Amino acid sequence: PPVLHPSRNEKVFSAVRSGLTVFPPGRRAAMSAVLDVADLSPEYVATSALVAGLAGAKGVEALGADARIKWPNDVYADGKKLSGILCRRNGDAIIIGIGVNVKQKSFPDEISSRAVSLSMLNVDVGIEEVRDAILDKLLFFYEIWKNDGVVDVAHGISLPLLVMDEINKRDMFKG
């Protein structure tokens, strides 16, 4: 199963056009998960970002936010970015980095029109609750993705129907 590593950093940095913005500690959930992909093809492993995005969206939905996925792996709510997820392969593993805006009441001017937090959506939860909710969904969808996926070289990659159905329901480009 995935291994989750909550961030213990005192500061979380976010890249914005004008440089780096530092967010105060205790307002954002930051975590990483390590997924075993040793027995999966590189083509199928490339779909892990979709599964991570789905887990992020379903996790914040479980807490009360109405989430959408901006392909492949950003989570939006109220038309603004709530969570960012990055995936990187490292040998036989995928490392997924997940950041969720939790307690911010506002953002710097340069990103305020594009960013939102759970608090701004009137979802009053703690950072640990966010981590637990996302891990729960990541465990659930990872098992389905890893065990029920099919790779058909002649016709492309096929994700499990449950995973694709859940992603399609949250695709912000499909309305």
Side-chain angles (χ1 to χ4, degrees):
V3 177
L4 186 74
H5 301 279
S7 173
R8 301 289 182 217
N9 294 340
E10 283 300 306
K11 296 179 181 175
V12 176
F13 295 90
S14 178
V16 293
R17 282 185 225 172
S18 61
L20 289 176
T21 299
V22 179
F23 293 107
R27 298 206 175 127
R28 191 164 195 254
M31 64 200 91
S32 60
V34 180
L35 308 180
D36 174 24
V37 295
D39 56 341
L40 301 175
S41 74
E43 295 82 10
Y44 195 68
V45 169
T47 67
S48 64
L50 294 171
V51 176
L54 175 59
K58 291 286 285 184
V60 297
E61 281 179 359
L63 300 169
D66 182 24
R68 308 288 285 172
I69 300 169
K70 182 176 178 186
W71 286 68
N73 53 344
D74 283 336
V75 178
Y76 275 63
D78 199 29
K80 297 179 180 182
K81 189 171 180 176
L82 175 64
S83 173
I85 302 169
L86 298 174
C87 300
R88 175 169 290 214
R89 184 157 192 170
N90 186 5
D92 288 341
I94 289 288
I95 301 169
I96 300 173
I98 304 168
V100 183
N101 298 323
V102 180
K103 297 281 188 184
Q104 297 90 334
K105 300 292 183 196
S106 65
F107 288 95
D109 290 343
E110 62 267 22
I111 62 171
S112 64
S113 65
R114 301 183 316 265
V116 71
S117 72
L118 290 171
S119 288
M120 294 165 73
L121 298 168
N122 297 315
V123 177
D124 186 28
V125 294
I127 291 171
E128 293 79 18
E129 290 174 84
V130 174
R131 289 181 186 144
D132 290 348
I134 290 174
L135 176 59
D136 179 60
K137 299 306 178 187
L138 186 59
L139 286 168
F140 177 78
F141 287 108
Y142 167 74
E143 290 300 326
I144 293 170
W145 173 78
K146 186 170 185 199
N147 297 317
D148 298 337
V150 176
V151 177
D152 179 347
V153 176
H155 298 99
I157 297 167
S158 175
L159 288 170
L161 290 177
L162 174 64
V163 172
M164 279 312 301
D165 185 49
E166 291 293 326
I167 290 170
N168 285 328
K169 286 178 190 175
R170 287 158 188 81
D171 184 348
M172 71 182 285
F173 295 117
K174 290 190 176 185

